[in-house]
Amino acid sequence: MKFEYCEVIDLTLPITSGMDIPTGLRATLPPVEFKLYSRAEEQGLQVGHLSTPIHAGTHLDTPRHIYPDGKTLDEISMDAFIGKGICVDVSQAKENEEVTVEMLLPYEDRIQPGMVVFLYTGWSERMFGTLEYWNNSPVLSTSAADWLVKEKGAKMLGYDFFQDAGAKGFKTFRKNFLAHEHVLGQGALQVEHLTNLSGVV
């Protein structure tokens, strides 16, 4: 497969000590921490240590995230991460509003089976690092998730917003992760907490 491109855009959030993690995980998981144990300018060798929850910052969810018999990352072919993609502008979605099938329909003819589909709201560029990012972000409707994965055949979805209403709040209940179910349960992957999608859309 041959790819041509004119620009490379980093879509990942910077990893920093103490960076925000989902509110429902804060009581049970340690914070993100990066520590230098020696410095090149002092000891002649720079050595550091990174400790982070897997779900901090920009990260990938595989089916095992919510399904006991779902695939783990090491069981997924690299082909799943390479291919054509599209970034869909759903920035009309307001706080706590669902991204709907109707918002996606203008892109219907451009979304092909096997594509990676990123959804742009601008939310992470404006709000990451605030409590509002976790509590008030737009969310992905289950019908839109089904439409993208089941009907259009997307192999991966990515979001620059906290897409699952069931994950909001300071307590996490598996039964409420409905958007996760509708994506991961159909064998697709998802990338959470993307940023800089304004440069792609």
Side-chain angles (χ1 to χ4, degrees), residues 96-174:
N96 291 307
E97 184 178 46
E98 288 188 334
V99 172
T100 64
V101 174
E102 288 70 29
M103 294 177 186
L104 303 171
L105 286 177
Y107 299 85
E108 182 174 19
D109 293 340
R110 295 173 58 194
I111 301 173
Q112 304 299 323
M115 269 190 166
V116 174
V117 179
F118 289 163
L119 302 180
Y120 165 74
T121 64
W123 191 254
S124 115
E125 290 173 56
R126 295 193 311 270
M127 303 300 289
F128 191 82
T130 69
L131 197 56
E132 287 78 9
Y133 175 83
W134 306 104
N135 290 343
N136 299 330
S137 79
V139 296
L140 181 65
S141 70
T142 54
S143 58
D146 285 341
W147 186 82
L148 285 165
V149 177
K150 189 184 294 184
E151 292 191 34
K152 300 305 294 180
K155 66 179 180 180
M156 181 188 295
L157 302 184
Y159 327 98
D160 68 351
F161 55 100
F162 196 34
Q163 85 286 355
D164 206 325
K168 294 184 179 187
F170 287 93
K171 291 187 177 180
T172 300
F173 299 99
R174 160 64 184 87

